[in-house]
Amino acid sequence: MTADALVLDSAAQDLLFREARTANTFSDEPVTDEQVQAIYDLVKYGPTSMNMQPLRVVLVRSAEARERLVSHMMDGNKEKTAGAPLVAILATDHEFHEEMPAQFPHFPQAKDTVFAERPVREAAGSFNASLQVGYFIIGVRAAGLAAGPMTGFDAEAINKEFFTDGEHSVLAVVNIGKPGENAWFPRSPRLSYDEVVTTV
């Protein structure tokens, strides 16, 4: 069995991947700030290019903010987002380079050389923040919670609503909590190893 080749025990493999699913309904059990901090304090160690950390997370807790967010979700996602105990907006900060001298201290001039131009920052920031989105989802699972990541929304409207400085771009909206009744759709098929991996 290929799973036996992994150092991570089978229960952890199931928790993070094989048995983990995108939740569509949630229980009423709250998600605490302490849980979210524990998630972030784990996943911040995931690798990125030049140790850049462009991901920004907005926790949508108030009823007023939730209503504003739900109004910009596609119809199929509105009910899920309205009913989740916690919703996180995950975005790229296009001014991430301001932290590069501290985050990449052996090449602090990267801030003003490599990332001086906005299009370069947008491309690098969006790619690396997307990596961090993936780490965040795995971190939610590691906390024993279910994640419902979505890209079905009006991105321009969410950017205007929640990031008024024009320096952030939403990547995903993630519903977070304990799964509720009938939380799962049937598991969709995955490509096999032989369909994905080649050796040269």
Side-chain angles (χ1 to χ4, degrees):
M1 183 176 177
T2 56
D4 294 337
L6 301 175
V7 174
L8 201 64
D9 69 50
S10 183
Q13 294 172 36
D14 288 344
L15 177 69
L16 299 180
F17 293 99
R18 282 190 295 266
E19 299 299 327
R21 307 289 296 280
T22 294
N24 296 289
T25 67
F26 295 88
S27 75
D28 294 332
E29 185 175 333
V31 177
T32 67
D33 288 338
E34 289 76 14
Q35 286 174 298
V36 178
Q37 183 167 351
I39 290 165
Y40 178 74
D41 284 342
L42 175 65
V43 304
K44 68 183 180 183
Y45 294 108
T48 58
S49 303
M50 299 176 73
N51 198 39
M52 69 177 71
Q53 294 166 49
L55 181 70
R56 300 295 179 264
V57 181
V58 175
L59 302 179
V60 181
R61 288 204 178 275
S62 72
E64 179 268 338
R66 183 73 64 97
E67 185 175 340
R68 287 160 50 208
L69 176 60
V70 168
S71 72
H72 301 309
M73 303 301 294
M74 289 185 177
D75 287 344
N77 291 329
K78 288 181 185 294
E79 185 175 350
K80 293 183 284 189
T81 303
L86 179 63
V87 183
I89 303 172
L90 306 187
T92 308
D93 180 358
H94 298 300
E95 296 298 303
F96 70 86
H97 68 310
E98 294 293 343
E99 281 124 18
M100 290 299 291
Q103 302 309 133
F104 204 58
H106 52 286
F107 185 31
Q109 59 268 39
K111 170 184 178 292
D112 298 314
T113 55
V114 179
F115 300 112
E117 300 297 326
R118 173 68 179 247
V120 173
R121 296 199 302 276
E122 288 185 353
S126 294
F127 174 77
N128 285 278
S130 294
L131 289 177
Q132 292 183 287
V133 169
Y135 303 145
F136 185 87
I137 292 167
I138 299 302
V140 169
R141 294 172 173 182
L145 300 169
M150 299 169 294
T151 56
F153 49 74
D154 184 335
E156 184 177 355
I158 288 178
N159 289 338
K160 289 179 179 178
E161 189 82 48
F162 292 93
F163 304 108
T164 56
D165 62 1
E167 301 297 344
H168 297 74
S169 296
V170 61
L171 292 168
V173 172
V174 183
N175 299 326
I176 303 169
K178 292 286 187 181
E181 293 185 11
N182 302 313
W184 323 118
F185 293 144
R187 170 77 79 184
S188 297
R190 301 298 199 268
L191 293 175
S192 69
Y193 178 88
D194 292 337
E195 292 175 295
V196 174
V197 180
T198 56
T199 301
V200 295

